[in-house]
C-alpha cells in the first residue's frame, strides 16, 4: 500500500478522484483523494461509504463540483451506516426514504430529481484474508450483473 501511495504522490495528476485501495490478506483499507496539486490518505474503517467526490477534511477547500444530491446521499448513507452495528450495505445503497434525494435512483423508472442525476450501478465490495470480491448490481433485488473474485470475472 505504501508503494501505491508513493507512486501516486510522485506522479503528475490531471484529474480529481476518491479511490479506495487495499491488498489481499491485509487489514488496512486506504481512502485516497487527489487532485492535480494534493493527495490525502486516510485509513478506512471496516465498513464505509465511498463516493466519487472529495470528503476528507484536508481536501474541502479544493475546487470541484459536487451535486447537492451526491452530498446529501453521502450524508444519508453515512448516517444509516452508523445507526446499526450490523448495517446491511445493500439495504443502505438501495434506500429510497429521502423523497428528494433517494440513495438509489434508477434513471428511467425513478425521477432524476432536481439535478438530473441517477444511479448507474451499485458495487458491494469485500476484502478478506483470502480473496477480494465485488458484485455489481444494476437493478436492486436482481442477480449481480458482474461478479469478481481476485480480479477475475466469475
Amino acid at each position: 500500500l505504501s508503494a501505491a501511495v508513493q507512486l501516486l504522490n510522485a506522479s503528475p495528476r490531471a484529474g480529481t478522484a476518491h479511490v479506495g485501495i487495499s491488498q489481499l490478506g491485509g487489514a488496512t483499507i486506504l481512502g485516497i483523494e487527489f487532485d492535480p496539486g494534493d493527495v490525502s490518505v486516510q485509513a478506512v474503517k471496516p465498513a464505509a461509504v465511498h463516493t466519487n467526490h472529495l470528503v476528507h477534511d484536508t481536501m474541502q477547500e479544493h475546487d470541484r463540483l459536487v451535486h447537492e444530491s451526491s452530498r446529501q446521499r453521502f450524508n444519508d448513507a453515512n448516517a444509516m451506516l452508523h445507526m446499526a452495528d450490523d448495517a446491511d450495505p445493500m439495504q443502505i445503497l438501495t434506500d429510497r426514504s429521502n423523497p428528494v434525494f433517494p440513495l438509489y435512483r434508477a434513471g428511467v423508472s425513478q425521477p432524476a430529481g432536481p439535478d438530473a442525476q441517477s444511479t448507474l450501478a451499485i458495487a458491494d465490495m469485500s476484502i478478506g484474508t483470502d480473496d477480494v470480491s465485488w458484485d455489481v448490481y444494476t437493478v436492486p433485488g436482481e442477480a449481480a450483473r458482474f461478479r469478481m473474485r481476485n480480479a477475475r470475472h466469475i
Side-chain angles (χ1 to χ4, degrees):
L1 295 179
S2 62
V5 172
Q6 287 174 356
L7 178 63
L8 189 55
N9 272 307
S11 300
R13 296 171 303 278
T16 302
H18 178 143
V19 298
I21 67 170
S22 188
Q23 65 185 32
L24 187 62
T28 302
I29 302 171
L30 298 178
I32 303 174
E33 296 182 349
F34 59 87
D35 68 7
D38 205 1
V39 176
S40 173
V41 180
Q42 292 183 0
V44 175
K45 296 177 182 178
V49 175
H50 181 279
T51 65
N52 291 327
H53 59 82
L54 306 178
V55 296
H56 294 179
D57 290 340
T58 59
M59 301 294 278
Q60 291 306 298
E61 298 302 318
H62 295 246
D63 188 27
R64 175 145 190 242
L65 172 66
V66 177
H67 292 281
E68 178 57 28
S69 68
S70 183
R71 186 182 323 280
Q72 184 61 51
R73 293 179 315 170
F74 174 75
N75 291 339
D76 289 350
N78 260 324
M80 286 182 234
L81 180 66
H82 293 99
M83 284 187 345
D85 290 335
D86 59 347
D88 176 9
M90 292 306 293
Q91 185 175 6
I92 292 172
L93 293 171
T94 59
D95 183 79
R96 293 180 180 181
S97 63
N98 183 323
V100 178
F101 297 127
L103 288 173
Y104 180 81
R105 296 189 287 179
V108 176
S109 63
Q110 175 79 21
D115 57 6
Q117 299 297 303
S118 62
T119 305
L120 299 178
I122 298 168
D124 185 11
M125 302 174 187
S126 176
I127 302 168
T129 54
D130 297 324
D131 76 356
V132 176
S133 62
W134 62 99
D135 297 332
V136 178
Y137 299 87
T138 54
V139 179
E142 291 186 6
R145 174 119 176 148
F146 303 102
R147 301 190 79 205
M148 304 289 288
R149 299 292 181 266
N150 298 329
R152 290 184 177 83
H153 189 263
I154 57 171

